[in-house]
Amino acid sequence: MTPPETIFPTDLFEEGRRAMPLQPGAMLLGGFASPGADALLADLHRVAEVAPFRKMVTPGGWQMSVAMTNCGSLGWMTDRTGYRYDALDPWTGNPWPEMPETFRCLAERAAEVAGYARFDPDSCLMNRYEPGSRLSLHQDRNERDFDAPIVSVSLGLAATFLWGGATRSGKPMRVRLFHGDVVVWGGPARLTFHGVDTLRGSVSLAGEFRYNLTFRAAR
Ligand code: MD3
Ligand code: FE
């Protein structure tokens, strides 16, 4: 087994060329996860065997078009009673699967490269998009502490990520996120409104889904 710290060598990542600020506090690390993408996908499928992807229902009663699951000591969920983090998977009654070492290592290193030292995520929300899936503009504010950043990893099909400002109004900015791209959102960008445009299907070597991992310090 390749040790995860050798798959994501911070010193080989060409920061000047592939790190791009999206707004103050938000950094796109183009292709940062590419060297370890196969290992990440293998671990993702292992997690999903224990905690399957499922389409959750919002408090308003709508079924989400994105299928989700979690790993780590806390998992984000929604149902008719609200949004929250929970230590147990409501589908199985068991704790969420442990966060794989590959996941944790990637998240810590990406945060470090983006300027957030000692990121210690206790939750990874895993999103699975199929053609037609979308995520409407929202803020991530169920975490206890907004000082920690959120690290997002895109795998599989490309998608158009949308982000606005501190309010829902106004025309969101758009950026394509590709297999292996990582975005770190912290500081003044932490409560930015964001979402994902409707995924377009395409026959692709990347498969039939887009996956997004978001690492959070939720406790
Ligand atoms: C900006 N996921 O899971 S990742 C989510 O691609 C979520 O699946 C999207 O939004 C996805 O909550 C977007 C990029 C992202 C994640 C968290 C953020 C951007 C963010 C938190 C604050 C600001
Ligand atoms: Fe979000």
Side-chain angles (χ1 to χ4, degrees):
M1 259 274 276
T2 318
E5 56 276 20
T6 64
I7 310 182
F8 306 113
T10 45
D11 51 333
L12 287 184
F13 182 71
E14 299 166 66
E15 273 172 69
R17 198 162 64 81
R18 301 171 85 180
M20 191 175 103
L22 295 180
Q23 66 172 78
M27 186 75 90
L28 168 60
L29 306 175
F32 188 80
S34 296
D38 290 352
L40 295 171
L41 283 168
D43 279 334
L44 175 151
H45 293 305
R46 270 191 284 276
V47 167
E49 272 173 35
V50 181
F53 283 99
R54 78 295 301 262
K55 291 180 179 175
M56 301 180 188
V57 175
T58 65
W62 300 96
Q63 189 182 58
M64 298 184 76
S65 60
V66 180
M68 299 179 166
T69 187
N70 292 273
C71 60
S73 52
L74 289 172
W76 185 87
M77 55 162 295
T78 173
D79 60 18
R80 285 309 298 255
T81 70
Y83 308 115
R84 65 186 167 280
Y85 282 94
D86 207 307
L88 302 181
D89 175 355
W91 273 45
T92 63
N94 296 324
W96 297 104
E98 252 187 73
M99 193 183 297
E101 262 317 299
T102 49
F103 282 29
R104 169 178 302 287
C105 186
L106 167 64
E108 285 173 2
R109 295 203 160 203
E112 197 181 313
V113 167
Y116 299 95
R118 287 177 294 278
F119 179 47
D120 182 20
D122 55 2
S123 175
C124 174
L125 172 61
M126 302 158 60
N127 294 336
R128 189 186 70 191
Y129 296 76
E130 59 200 42
S133 296
R134 63 189 287 274
L135 192 62
S136 51
L137 283 186
H138 66 278
Q139 291 173 299
D140 290 16
R141 48 183 323 144
N142 296 122
E143 302 72 30
R144 208 164 286 170
D145 163 17
F146 300 143
D147 291 340
I150 289 184
V151 173
S152 139
V153 180
S154 292
L155 296 167
L157 295 178
T160 300
F161 176 71
L162 311 170
W163 84 101
T167 63
R168 200 186 298 274
S169 63
K171 195 175 158 183
M173 293 188 280
R174 307 165 69 87
V175 69
R176 285 292 272 177
L177 292 179
F178 297 94
H179 181 68
D181 285 349
V182 174
V183 192
V184 181
W185 300 83
R190 178 62 182 76
L191 292 175
T192 298
F193 276 91
H194 61 278
V196 177
D197 203 356
T198 309
L199 193 83
R200 313 289 218 95
S202 57
V203 179
S204 157
L205 285 175
E208 52 188 325
F209 296 117
R210 170 179 187 258
Y211 295 101
N212 183 267
L213 313 176
T214 45
F215 294 91
R216 299 131 186 279
R219 59 208 165 289

PDB file of all heavy atoms in Angstrom, residues 175-203:
ATOM      1  N   VAL A 175     -17.615  28.519 -12.154  1.00  0.00           N
ATOM      2  CA  VAL A 175     -16.311  27.944 -12.497  1.00  0.00           C
ATOM      3  C   VAL A 175     -16.500  26.446 -12.732  1.00  0.00           C
ATOM      4  O   VAL A 175     -17.279  25.794 -12.028  1.00  0.00           O
ATOM      5  CB  VAL A 175     -15.246  28.234 -11.405  1.00  0.00           C
ATOM      6  CG1 VAL A 175     -15.527  27.487 -10.118  1.00  0.00           C
ATOM      7  CG2 VAL A 175     -13.844  27.901 -11.906  1.00  0.00           C
ATOM      8  N   ARG A 176     -15.840  25.914 -13.776  1.00  0.00           N
ATOM      9  CA  ARG A 176     -15.908  24.473 -14.028  1.00  0.00           C
ATOM     10  C   ARG A 176     -14.968  23.768 -13.062  1.00  0.00           C
ATOM     11  O   ARG A 176     -13.814  24.177 -12.898  1.00  0.00           O
ATOM     12  CB  ARG A 176     -15.464  24.149 -15.461  1.00  0.00           C
ATOM     13  CG  ARG A 176     -16.462  24.489 -16.530  1.00  0.00           C
ATOM     14  CD  ARG A 176     -17.704  23.627 -16.499  1.00  0.00           C
ATOM     15  NE  ARG A 176     -17.612  22.394 -17.259  1.00  0.00           N
ATOM     16  CZ  ARG A 176     -18.590  21.481 -17.300  1.00  0.00           C
ATOM     17  NH1 ARG A 176     -19.718  21.668 -16.606  1.00  0.00           N
ATOM     18  NH2 ARG A 176     -18.451  20.395 -18.008  1.00  0.00           N
ATOM     19  N   LEU A 177     -15.457  22.738 -12.424  1.00  0.00           N
ATOM     20  CA  LEU A 177     -14.604  21.927 -11.553  1.00  0.00           C
ATOM     21  C   LEU A 177     -14.440  20.547 -12.190  1.00  0.00           C
ATOM     22  O   LEU A 177     -15.435  19.894 -12.534  1.00  0.00           O
ATOM     23  CB  LEU A 177     -15.221  21.796 -10.157  1.00  0.00           C
ATOM     24  CG  LEU A 177     -15.267  23.086  -9.325  1.00  0.00           C
ATOM     25  CD1 LEU A 177     -15.910  22.824  -7.975  1.00  0.00           C
ATOM     26  CD2 LEU A 177     -13.861  23.674  -9.151  1.00  0.00           C
ATOM     27  N   PHE A 178     -13.171  20.135 -12.321  1.00  0.00           N
ATOM     28  CA  PHE A 178     -12.846  18.894 -13.009  1.00  0.00           C
ATOM     29  C   PHE A 178     -12.332  17.843 -12.026  1.00  0.00           C
ATOM     30  O   PHE A 178     -11.953  18.158 -10.883  1.00  0.00           O
ATOM     31  CB  PHE A 178     -11.769  19.156 -14.070  1.00  0.00           C
ATOM     32  CG  PHE A 178     -12.221  20.101 -15.154  1.00  0.00           C
ATOM     33  CD1 PHE A 178     -11.951  21.458 -15.067  1.00  0.00           C
ATOM     34  CD2 PHE A 178     -12.938  19.627 -16.247  1.00  0.00           C
ATOM     35  CE1 PHE A 178     -12.366  22.334 -16.062  1.00  0.00           C
ATOM     36  CE2 PHE A 178     -13.363  20.500 -17.251  1.00  0.00           C
ATOM     37  CZ  PHE A 178     -13.081  21.855 -17.152  1.00  0.00           C
ATOM     38  N   HIS A 179     -12.311  16.613 -12.501  1.00  0.00           N
ATOM     39  CA  HIS A 179     -11.731  15.480 -11.784  1.00  0.00           C
ATOM     40  C   HIS A 179     -10.384  15.869 -11.165  1.00  0.00           C
ATOM     41  O   HIS A 179      -9.482  16.300 -11.887  1.00  0.00           O
ATOM     42  CB  HIS A 179     -11.552  14.343 -12.783  1.00  0.00           C
ATOM     43  CG  HIS A 179     -10.988  13.084 -12.221  1.00  0.00           C
ATOM     44  ND1 HIS A 179     -11.679  12.298 -11.328  1.00  0.00           N
ATOM     45  CD2 HIS A 179      -9.803  12.463 -12.433  1.00  0.00           C
ATOM     46  CE1 HIS A 179     -10.940  11.243 -11.025  1.00  0.00           C
ATOM     47  NE2 HIS A 179      -9.798  11.326 -11.681  1.00  0.00           N
ATOM     48  N   GLY A 180     -10.285  15.747  -9.864  1.00  0.00           N
ATOM     49  CA  GLY A 180      -9.017  16.034  -9.184  1.00  0.00           C
ATOM     50  C   GLY A 180      -8.891  17.441  -8.643  1.00  0.00           C
ATOM     51  O   GLY A 180      -7.948  17.733  -7.915  1.00  0.00           O
ATOM     52  N   ASP A 181      -9.827  18.318  -8.976  1.00  0.00           N
ATOM     53  CA  ASP A 181      -9.741  19.692  -8.463  1.00  0.00           C
ATOM     54  C   ASP A 181     -10.121  19.745  -6.978  1.00  0.00           C
ATOM     55  O   ASP A 181     -11.020  19.040  -6.523  1.00  0.00           O
ATOM     56  CB  ASP A 181     -10.680  20.631  -9.243  1.00  0.00           C
ATOM     57  CG  ASP A 181     -10.145  20.983 -10.634  1.00  0.00           C
ATOM     58  OD1 ASP A 181      -8.971  20.671 -10.922  1.00  0.00           O
ATOM     59  OD2 ASP A 181     -10.904  21.577 -11.417  1.00  0.00           O
ATOM     60  N   VAL A 182      -9.458  20.620  -6.262  1.00  0.00           N
ATOM     61  CA  VAL A 182      -9.734  20.819  -4.830  1.00  0.00           C
ATOM     62  C   VAL A 182      -9.964  22.303  -4.603  1.00  0.00           C
ATOM     63  O   VAL A 182      -9.256  23.135  -5.187  1.00  0.00           O
ATOM     64  CB  VAL A 182      -8.539  20.325  -3.974  1.00  0.00           C
ATOM     65  CG1 VAL A 182      -8.745  20.657  -2.497  1.00  0.00           C
ATOM     66  CG2 VAL A 182      -8.342  18.823  -4.150  1.00  0.00           C
ATOM     67  N   VAL A 183     -10.980  22.646  -3.819  1.00  0.00           N
ATOM     68  CA  VAL A 183     -11.191  24.041  -3.435  1.00  0.00           C
ATOM     69  C   VAL A 183     -11.227  24.129  -1.912  1.00  0.00           C
ATOM     70  O   VAL A 183     -11.851  23.295  -1.245  1.00  0.00           O
ATOM     71  CB  VAL A 183     -12.498  24.635  -4.019  1.00  0.00           C
ATOM     72  CG1 VAL A 183     -12.516  26.148  -3.830  1.00  0.00           C
ATOM     73  CG2 VAL A 183     -12.661  24.307  -5.494  1.00  0.00           C
ATOM     74  N   VAL A 184     -10.523  25.107  -1.384  1.00  0.00           N
ATOM     75  CA  VAL A 184     -10.503  25.345   0.066  1.00  0.00           C
ATOM     76  C   VAL A 184     -11.221  26.668   0.328  1.00  0.00           C
ATOM     77  O   VAL A 184     -10.881  27.686  -0.277  1.00  0.00           O
ATOM     78  CB  VAL A 184      -9.057  25.391   0.593  1.00  0.00           C
ATOM     79  CG1 VAL A 184      -9.044  25.609   2.103  1.00  0.00           C
ATOM     80  CG2 VAL A 184      -8.314  24.106   0.233  1.00  0.00           C
ATOM     81  N   TRP A 185     -12.226  26.624   1.210  1.00  0.00           N
ATOM     82  CA  TRP A 185     -13.036  27.801   1.543  1.00  0.00           C
ATOM     83  C   TRP A 185     -12.895  28.101   3.016  1.00  0.00           C
ATOM     84  O   TRP A 185     -13.334  27.318   3.847  1.00  0.00           O
ATOM     85  CB  TRP A 185     -14.512  27.535   1.243  1.00  0.00           C
ATOM     86  CG  TRP A 185     -14.777  27.219  -0.181  1.00  0.00           C
ATOM     87  CD1 TRP A 185     -14.642  26.004  -0.777  1.00  0.00           C
ATOM     88  CD2 TRP A 185     -15.216  28.128  -1.200  1.00  0.00           C
ATOM     89  NE1 TRP A 185     -14.963  26.111  -2.112  1.00  0.00           N
ATOM     90  CE2 TRP A 185     -15.325  27.396  -2.391  1.00  0.00           C
ATOM     91  CE3 TRP A 185     -15.524  29.497  -1.204  1.00  0.00           C
ATOM     92  CZ2 TRP A 185     -15.721  27.974  -3.579  1.00  0.00           C
ATOM     93  CZ3 TRP A 185     -15.933  30.071  -2.396  1.00  0.00           C
ATOM     94  CH2 TRP A 185     -16.026  29.316  -3.557  1.00  0.00           C
ATOM     95  N   GLY A 186     -12.288  29.242   3.303  1.00  0.00           N
ATOM     96  CA  GLY A 186     -12.147  29.594   4.711  1.00  0.00           C
ATOM     97  C   GLY A 186     -12.181  31.094   4.897  1.00  0.00           C
ATOM     98  O   GLY A 186     -12.421  31.849   3.941  1.00  0.00           O
ATOM     99  N   GLY A 187     -11.946  31.518   6.115  1.00  0.00           N
ATOM    100  CA  GLY A 187     -11.871  32.943   6.435  1.00  0.00           C
ATOM    101  C   GLY A 187     -13.076  33.697   5.899  1.00  0.00           C
ATOM    102  O   GLY A 187     -14.220  33.292   6.118  1.00  0.00           O
ATOM    103  N   PRO A 188     -12.834  34.785   5.148  1.00  0.00           N
ATOM    104  CA  PRO A 188     -13.938  35.617   4.676  1.00  0.00           C
ATOM    105  C   PRO A 188     -14.830  34.904   3.655  1.00  0.00           C
ATOM    106  O   PRO A 188     -15.927  35.381   3.366  1.00  0.00           O
ATOM    107  CB  PRO A 188     -13.235  36.816   4.018  1.00  0.00           C
ATOM    108  CG  PRO A 188     -11.824  36.406   3.798  1.00  0.00           C
ATOM    109  CD  PRO A 188     -11.508  35.342   4.802  1.00  0.00           C
ATOM    110  N   ALA A 189     -14.387  33.742   3.109  1.00  0.00           N
ATOM    111  CA  ALA A 189     -15.192  33.023   2.112  1.00  0.00           C
ATOM    112  C   ALA A 189     -16.046  31.928   2.744  1.00  0.00           C
ATOM    113  O   ALA A 189     -16.840  31.278   2.052  1.00  0.00           O
ATOM    114  CB  ALA A 189     -14.276  32.401   1.056  1.00  0.00           C
ATOM    115  N   ARG A 190     -15.897  31.735   4.043  1.00  0.00           N
ATOM    116  CA  ARG A 190     -16.490  30.557   4.676  1.00  0.00           C
ATOM    117  C   ARG A 190     -18.024  30.510   4.569  1.00  0.00           C
ATOM    118  O   ARG A 190     -18.621  29.427   4.490  1.00  0.00           O
ATOM    119  CB  ARG A 190     -16.029  30.499   6.147  1.00  0.00           C
ATOM    120  CG  ARG A 190     -16.581  29.380   6.986  1.00  0.00           C
ATOM    121  CD  ARG A 190     -16.196  28.019   6.470  1.00  0.00           C
ATOM    122  NE  ARG A 190     -16.801  26.971   7.293  1.00  0.00           N
ATOM    123  CZ  ARG A 190     -18.078  26.611   7.232  1.00  0.00           C
ATOM    124  NH1 ARG A 190     -18.902  27.203   6.382  1.00  0.00           N
ATOM    125  NH2 ARG A 190     -18.550  25.660   8.011  1.00  0.00           N
ATOM    126  N   LEU A 191     -18.676  31.663   4.593  1.00  0.00           N
ATOM    127  CA  LEU A 191     -20.150  31.665   4.557  1.00  0.00           C
ATOM    128  C   LEU A 191     -20.711  32.126   3.209  1.00  0.00           C
ATOM    129  O   LEU A 191     -21.865  32.549   3.099  1.00  0.00           O
ATOM    130  CB  LEU A 191     -20.701  32.515   5.706  1.00  0.00           C
ATOM    131  CG  LEU A 191     -20.460  31.916   7.099  1.00  0.00           C
ATOM    132  CD1 LEU A 191     -20.926  32.859   8.196  1.00  0.00           C
ATOM    133  CD2 LEU A 191     -21.145  30.551   7.253  1.00  0.00           C
ATOM    134  N   THR A 192     -19.886  31.997   2.176  1.00  0.00           N
ATOM    135  CA  THR A 192     -20.320  32.330   0.819  1.00  0.00           C
ATOM    136  C   THR A 192     -21.486  31.436   0.381  1.00  0.00           C
ATOM    137  O   THR A 192     -21.472  30.224   0.626  1.00  0.00           O
ATOM    138  CB  THR A 192     -19.127  32.125  -0.143  1.00  0.00           C
ATOM    139  OG1 THR A 192     -18.087  33.015   0.242  1.00  0.00           O
ATOM    140  CG2 THR A 192     -19.510  32.363  -1.580  1.00  0.00           C
ATOM    141  N   PHE A 193     -22.475  32.029  -0.276  1.00  0.00           N
ATOM    142  CA  PHE A 193     -23.543  31.230  -0.895  1.00  0.00           C
ATOM    143  C   PHE A 193     -22.968  30.494  -2.103  1.00  0.00           C
ATOM    144  O   PHE A 193     -22.242  31.079  -2.907  1.00  0.00           O
ATOM    145  CB  PHE A 193     -24.704  32.120  -1.327  1.00  0.00           C
ATOM    146  CG  PHE A 193     -25.664  32.410  -0.210  1.00  0.00           C
ATOM    147  CD1 PHE A 193     -25.500  33.516   0.601  1.00  0.00           C
ATOM    148  CD2 PHE A 193     -26.721  31.540   0.048  1.00  0.00           C
ATOM    149  CE1 PHE A 193     -26.375  33.777   1.649  1.00  0.00           C
ATOM    150  CE2 PHE A 193     -27.609  31.783   1.092  1.00  0.00           C
ATOM    151  CZ  PHE A 193     -27.442  32.908   1.892  1.00  0.00           C
ATOM    152  N   HIS A 194     -23.293  29.199  -2.223  1.00  0.00           N
ATOM    153  CA  HIS A 194     -22.717  28.398  -3.301  1.00  0.00           C
ATOM    154  C   HIS A 194     -23.653  27.266  -3.687  1.00  0.00           C
ATOM    155  O   HIS A 194     -24.548  26.903  -2.910  1.00  0.00           O
ATOM    156  CB  HIS A 194     -21.362  27.849  -2.860  1.00  0.00           C
ATOM    157  CG  HIS A 194     -21.458  26.958  -1.650  1.00  0.00           C
ATOM    158  ND1 HIS A 194     -21.519  27.464  -0.366  1.00  0.00           N
ATOM    159  CD2 HIS A 194     -21.566  25.620  -1.533  1.00  0.00           C
ATOM    160  CE1 HIS A 194     -21.637  26.458   0.482  1.00  0.00           C
ATOM    161  NE2 HIS A 194     -21.679  25.331  -0.191  1.00  0.00           N
ATOM    162  N   GLY A 195     -23.437  26.718  -4.873  1.00  0.00           N
ATOM    163  CA  GLY A 195     -24.253  25.613  -5.357  1.00  0.00           C
ATOM    164  C   GLY A 195     -23.616  24.997  -6.590  1.00  0.00           C
ATOM    165  O   GLY A 195     -22.501  25.355  -6.958  1.00  0.00           O
ATOM    166  N   VAL A 196     -24.339  24.050  -7.208  1.00  0.00           N
ATOM    167  CA  VAL A 196     -23.830  23.368  -8.391  1.00  0.00           C
ATOM    168  C   VAL A 196     -24.925  23.367  -9.440  1.00  0.00           C
ATOM    169  O   VAL A 196     -26.068  22.988  -9.167  1.00  0.00           O
ATOM    170  CB  VAL A 196     -23.398  21.913  -8.057  1.00  0.00           C
ATOM    171  CG1 VAL A 196     -22.936  21.186  -9.304  1.00  0.00           C
ATOM    172  CG2 VAL A 196     -22.308  21.913  -6.994  1.00  0.00           C
ATOM    173  N   ASP A 197     -24.578  23.826 -10.664  1.00  0.00           N
ATOM    174  CA  ASP A 197     -25.530  23.863 -11.769  1.00  0.00           C
ATOM    175  C   ASP A 197     -25.888  22.427 -12.184  1.00  0.00           C
ATOM    176  O   ASP A 197     -25.114  21.489 -11.943  1.00  0.00           O
ATOM    177  CB  ASP A 197     -24.886  24.626 -12.943  1.00  0.00           C
ATOM    178  CG  ASP A 197     -25.926  25.196 -13.888  1.00  0.00           C
ATOM    179  OD1 ASP A 197     -27.142  24.944 -13.691  1.00  0.00           O
ATOM    180  OD2 ASP A 197     -25.529  25.892 -14.837  1.00  0.00           O
ATOM    181  N   THR A 198     -27.047  22.285 -12.795  1.00  0.00           N
ATOM    182  CA  THR A 198     -27.525  20.970 -13.248  1.00  0.00           C
ATOM    183  C   THR A 198     -26.430  20.221 -14.007  1.00  0.00           C
ATOM    184  O   THR A 198     -25.874  20.735 -14.970  1.00  0.00           O
ATOM    185  CB  THR A 198     -28.745  21.167 -14.162  1.00  0.00           C
ATOM    186  OG1 THR A 198     -29.677  22.017 -13.490  1.00  0.00           O
ATOM    187  CG2 THR A 198     -29.408  19.843 -14.476  1.00  0.00           C
ATOM    188  N   LEU A 199     -26.117  19.024 -13.559  1.00  0.00           N
ATOM    189  CA  LEU A 199     -25.060  18.230 -14.193  1.00  0.00           C
ATOM    190  C   LEU A 199     -25.516  17.756 -15.563  1.00  0.00           C
ATOM    191  O   LEU A 199     -26.615  17.228 -15.709  1.00  0.00           O
ATOM    192  CB  LEU A 199     -24.686  17.027 -13.316  1.00  0.00           C
ATOM    193  CG  LEU A 199     -23.395  16.322 -13.733  1.00  0.00           C
ATOM    194  CD1 LEU A 199     -22.198  17.051 -13.149  1.00  0.00           C
ATOM    195  CD2 LEU A 199     -23.377  14.863 -13.289  1.00  0.00           C
ATOM    196  N   ARG A 200     -24.654  17.972 -16.540  1.00  0.00           N
ATOM    197  CA  ARG A 200     -24.942  17.487 -17.895  1.00  0.00           C
ATOM    198  C   ARG A 200     -24.276  16.144 -18.069  1.00  0.00           C
ATOM    199  O   ARG A 200     -23.125  15.964 -17.699  1.00  0.00           O
ATOM    200  CB  ARG A 200     -24.376  18.444 -18.940  1.00  0.00           C
ATOM    201  CG  ARG A 200     -24.686  19.899 -18.684  1.00  0.00           C
ATOM    202  CD  ARG A 200     -26.162  20.193 -18.924  1.00  0.00           C
ATOM    203  NE  ARG A 200     -26.298  21.508 -19.555  1.00  0.00           N
ATOM    204  CZ  ARG A 200     -26.398  21.674 -20.878  1.00  0.00           C
ATOM    205  NH1 ARG A 200     -26.406  20.643 -21.701  1.00  0.00           N
ATOM    206  NH2 ARG A 200     -26.507  22.879 -21.373  1.00  0.00           N
ATOM    207  N   GLY A 201     -25.010  15.211 -18.668  1.00  0.00           N
ATOM    208  CA  GLY A 201     -24.456  13.885 -18.911  1.00  0.00           C
ATOM    209  C   GLY A 201     -23.493  13.918 -20.079  1.00  0.00           C
ATOM    210  O   GLY A 201     -23.602  14.747 -20.964  1.00  0.00           O
ATOM    211  N   SER A 202     -22.527  13.025 -20.054  1.00  0.00           N
ATOM    212  CA  SER A 202     -21.637  12.898 -21.194  1.00  0.00           C
ATOM    213  C   SER A 202     -21.001  11.525 -21.100  1.00  0.00           C
ATOM    214  O   SER A 202     -20.799  10.998 -20.015  1.00  0.00           O
ATOM    215  CB  SER A 202     -20.563  13.976 -21.174  1.00  0.00           C
ATOM    216  OG  SER A 202     -19.852  13.898 -19.957  1.00  0.00           O
ATOM    217  N   VAL A 203     -20.709  10.950 -22.263  1.00  0.00           N
ATOM    218  CA  VAL A 203     -19.997   9.677 -22.252  1.00  0.00           C
ATOM    219  C   VAL A 203     -18.548  10.015 -21.976  1.00  0.00           C
ATOM    220  O   VAL A 203     -17.943  10.806 -22.679  1.00  0.00           O
ATOM    221  CB  VAL A 203     -20.137   8.964 -23.604  1.00  0.00           C
ATOM    222  CG1 VAL A 203     -19.380   7.647 -23.588  1.00  0.00           C
ATOM    223  CG2 VAL A 203     -21.606   8.731 -23.906  1.00  0.00           C
TER     224      VAL A 203
END
